[in-house]
Amino acid sequence: MKPDTTPSRPGRTALRPSPAPDAGSTGPAHTAEPVRTAEPARPRDALDRVTATVSELWRSLSEWWRSRPRRVRDVEFALVLTVLSFAEPLASVGARFGDLPTRHASVLSVALTLGQTLPLVLRTRLPAVCLALVGSSFAVHQASGCPQTFGSMGVYVALYSMGAYQGRLRRLLAVPSFAAYVAFCVVLDALGSPQRLDDYAVFGLALAAFWGAGAFVRARRADEAERRRLTALAATAAERGRLARELHDVVTHHVTAMVVQSDAAPFLTASPDRVTEALTAISGTGRRALAELRYLLGVLEATGESEPGQRAPARGDLRDLVEQTRMTGQPVELAEEGERPSLPIGAELAMYRLVQEALTNAVKYAAGHPTLVAVRYGRDRLDVEVTNEGPDDGRPDDDGPGPARESAHVSGGRGLGGLRERVGMLGGDFTAGPRPGGGFAVRAGIPTEGAS
């Protein structure tokens, strides 16, 4: 009987033929040994890895590009397009409309090419002026029969920018733009262009499509800004409800305690020491109530709809908050970096509540340990960090009650979970946890664009 020599499929178990037994052997015959062949790598796995790598690279490049100032991006884009317009092989690639006789390259063609690329530095600040300059250069370039150039792509970018960034008179400016295109077609026809009416119509629709694409992107951005505004309004409404609950707690708890202690004081006249203790307790309760009301009224004013000049600015509120905490005996330092811009209400309130809650936890669990409040004001982002050098296990110190432990500093929020929810609603990031060298850190990055 011959062994099976059929090639095994990949990934299957093949049988290796056993050697024939000796003629004089009386032992059992050897059985076939299984041999497993290695499975080849699937092409789909490699494709998935390449796709993931390309996606990650594209995301990194997009984030880097968006992080740069808009004016710098416009200048860099215009310079890159200018260089490509004179670099082979893209120099001779571009829009060609009218089919007029082509002339040799000249100083005029170079100047008209620059007129189609360099004005793009204004495409986000003055899109109408950018379109007028680029469109005029494009029309003269085509009517003069200049050689094709990659710089003609500038007219498409200018049209897109007109739809995406023009803030006022967008619909009104469409009328002179259409009239300019009609005049351009008339001039081409007068110069002997073989193009027909339907050719002019198709090219006009292509130009209008770039304008429409920009308008679509603008509408999407407006919808996103409106969604953020509504989200911030919902967060403000929730904050007002929470403040009302806290105010109710202050009235029902502290004031009731003061009334009970005052009513009991006349029955303690026989023991002067106990009267003194009762009066001290009443005084402490009243001070704590006043401190809570001061916090609540200050934040309630910041969440109201009063004019910015009618309420204390966030910088003053933050310094007052740090100073009040310092008066309890807690060593607190405030460090501010950068020039403070005009903050939206949502970002301003989130910053105040985060610092308030972090300082409250520092007083409760790290009394007497140095605490640092660091605020960095960026162009479109606000970074807040509160760190302390105390214990990080959530338990009070073993030093016993001290001035900070008996202070009037109270919590103004729902804890770290509430802070994470508030910052997340504004599109920011929040982290809190023990520090490697001991202590605790609370960090948050709050966007200042659209956080109204």
Side-chain angles (χ1 to χ4, degrees), residues 325 328 330 358-368 371 404-405 407 409:
T325 306
T328 65
Q330 184 75 5
L359 290 180
T360 299
N361 291 336
V363 171
K364 293 169 61 178
Y365 303 127
T371 304
R405 194 74 62 196
S407 66
H409 188 100

Side-chain angles (χ1 to χ4, degrees), residues 97-100 185 187-196 200:
F97 188 68
D99 290 339
L100 296 176
C185 296
V187 170
L188 290 180
D189 187 71
L191 293 176
S193 173
Q195 301 290 343
R196 299 180 302 176
Y200 294 124

Side-chain angles (χ1 to χ4, degrees), residues 239-253:
E239 177 66 13
R240 288 178 177 175
R242 191 189 63 79
L243 289 173
R245 293 191 296 270
E246 291 188 3
L247 186 60
H248 177 268
D249 292 340
V250 172
V251 174
T252 57
H253 176 71

Side-chain angles (χ1 to χ4, degrees), residues 65 70 73-75 77-78 81 116-132 134 153-170 173 177 207-219 221:
W65 179 256
R70 180 173 293 178
R73 287 183 291 175
D74 293 343
V75 172
F77 182 83
L81 185 59
Q116 298 175 71
T117 58
L118 294 182
L120 293 177
V121 298
L122 305 174
R123 71 184 192 93
T124 58
R125 287 179 292 165
L126 300 171
V129 176
C130 174
L131 179 60
V134 174
M153 298 294 104
V155 70
Y156 303 120
V157 178
L159 286 168
Y160 170 85
S161 302
M162 186 67 178
Y165 300 106
Q166 181 62 32
R168 300 173 56 188
L169 306 177
R170 291 194 307 275
L173 289 175
S177 301
L207 297 178
F210 283 92
W211 186 315
F216 175 77
V217 172
R218 179 184 178 85
R221 288 201 302 261

Side-chain angles (χ1 to χ4, degrees), residues 29 35 58 71 76 115 164 183 208 217 229 245 260 319 346 356 376 387 394 400-401 409 422 429 436 438:
V35 178
W58 176 258
R71 293 187 178 183
E76 292 174 347
V217 172
R229 187 185 70 85
R245 293 191 296 270
V260 172
R319 290 180 181 273
Q356 184 182 35
R376 289 177 289 275
T387 58
H409 188 100
R422 182 196 301 280
D429 51 85

Side-chain angles (χ1 to χ4, degrees), residues 8-14 36-40:
S8 60
R9 296 181 181 178
R12 298 292 187 87
T13 301
R36 182 173 296 276
T37 59
E39 295 187 5

Side-chain angles (χ1 to χ4, degrees), residues 17-325:
S18 59
D22 295 338
S25 176
T26 59
H30 294 282
T31 58
E33 300 178 359
V35 178
R36 182 173 296 276
T37 59
E39 295 187 5
R42 292 185 300 175
R44 186 173 181 82
D45 294 340
L47 180 61
D48 292 342
R49 287 194 296 269
V50 172
T51 303
T53 303
V54 173
S55 300
E56 181 65 21
L57 179 61
W58 176 258
R59 186 182 62 83
S60 301
L61 291 176
S62 299
E63 292 180 354
W64 172 81
W65 179 256
R66 288 194 297 268
S67 65
R68 301 175 64 79
R70 180 173 293 178
R71 293 187 178 183
V72 176
R73 287 183 291 175
D74 293 343
V75 172
E76 292 174 347
F77 182 83
L79 292 179
V80 170
L81 185 59
T82 301
V83 172
L84 294 179
S85 301
F86 297 97
E88 295 294 343
L90 295 178
S92 58
V93 177
R96 183 68 177 170
F97 188 68
D99 290 339
L100 296 176
T102 304
R103 300 179 181 180
H104 294 289
S106 61
V107 177
L108 177 62
S109 63
V110 174
L112 292 176
T113 299
L114 295 177
Q116 298 175 71
T117 58
L118 294 182
L120 293 177
V121 298
L122 305 174
R123 71 184 192 93
T124 58
R125 287 179 292 165
L126 300 171
V129 176
C130 174
L131 179 60
L133 296 176
V134 174
S136 300
S137 301
F138 176 81
V140 176
H141 186 275
Q142 298 296 322
S144 302
C146 296
Q148 287 180 274
T149 173
F150 191 73
S152 60
M153 298 294 104
V155 70
Y156 303 120
V157 178
L159 286 168
Y160 170 85
S161 302
M162 186 67 178
Y165 300 106
Q166 181 62 32
R168 300 173 56 188
L169 306 177
R170 291 194 307 275
R171 297 181 180 179
L172 183 61
L173 289 175
V175 176
S177 301
F178 176 76
Y181 176 72
V182 173
F184 171 58
C185 296
V186 172
V187 170
L188 290 180
D189 187 71
L191 293 176
S193 173
Q195 301 290 343
R196 299 180 302 176
L197 181 60
D198 54 348
D199 297 326
Y200 294 124
V202 171
F203 189 70
L205 290 176
L207 297 178
F210 283 92
W211 186 315
F216 175 77
V217 172
R218 179 184 178 85
R220 290 288 300 272
R221 288 201 302 261
D223 292 342
E224 180 64 19
E226 179 66 14
R227 185 190 67 81
R228 285 178 173 257
R229 187 185 70 85
L230 295 177
T231 302
L233 288 178
T236 302
E239 177 66 13
R240 288 178 177 175
R242 191 189 63 79
L243 289 173
R245 293 191 296 270
E246 291 188 3
L247 186 60
H248 177 268
D249 292 340
V250 172
V251 174
T252 57
H253 176 71
H254 293 296
V255 176
T256 301
M258 294 170 60
V259 171
V260 172
Q261 292 167 350
S262 300
D263 292 341
F267 300 97
L268 303 176
T269 55
S271 177
D273 295 337
R274 298 187 62 185
V275 172
T276 303
E277 293 178 359
L279 294 177
T280 302
I282 294 174
S283 176
T285 303
R287 293 179 184 275
R288 285 192 293 271
L290 289 176
E292 291 193 27
L293 289 174
R294 187 179 298 113
Y295 282 128
L296 292 176
L297 292 177
V299 179
L300 187 61
E301 184 180 1
T303 59
E305 299 178 355
S306 58
E307 295 296 329
Q310 299 177 354
R311 58 182 173 86
R315 181 188 294 269
D317 288 344
L318 198 59
R319 290 180 181 273
D320 291 343
L321 179 61
V322 172
E323 182 62 26
Q324 291 170 2
T325 306

